[in-house]
């Protein structure tokens, strides 16, 4: 089950509209402010833990580090 992090965390982002994560499946769904939405798989469990417990100051930096710049992560365009 995915947890909507952006609903629980009041951090505003200039790039990220919505962030959902599923630590059990190591996946994240990211909806960008431009309307594009992606499913990322094989996201680092430590990064997922950080975002779930609220230890993230910037959604954009988190997505860059754990989704976009991690060569082990695969992505699928949802919208």
């Amino acid at each position: 089950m995915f947890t909507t992090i952006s609903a629980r965390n009041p951090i505003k982002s200039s790039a990220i509209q919505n962030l959902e994560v599923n630590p059990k499946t190591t996946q994240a769904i990211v909806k960008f402010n431009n309307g594009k939405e992606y499913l990322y798989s094989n996201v680092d469990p430590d990064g997922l833990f950080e975002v779930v417990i609220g230890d993230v100051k910037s959604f954009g930096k988190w997505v860059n580090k754990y989704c976009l710049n991690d060569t082990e992560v695969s992505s699928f365009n949802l919208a």
Side-chain angles (χ1 to χ4, degrees), residues 21-73:
V21 297
N22 186 334
K24 186 174 182 177
T25 62
T26 66
Q27 294 179 310
I29 296 175
V30 180
K31 185 169 187 178
F32 293 90
N33 285 337
N34 65 6
K36 294 187 179 186
E37 188 172 27
Y38 295 89
L39 170 67
Y40 295 96
S41 298
N42 201 31
V43 178
D44 186 317
D46 291 336
L48 293 168
F49 180 74
E50 285 177 15
V51 78
V52 166
I53 65 166
D55 195 28
V56 171
K57 305 286 186 246
S58 167
F59 288 146
K61 287 180 182 177
W62 187 89
V63 169
N64 279 329
K65 181 176 181 179
Y66 291 107
C67 297
L68 300 176
N69 294 325
D70 187 332
T71 57
E72 300 296 317
V73 173

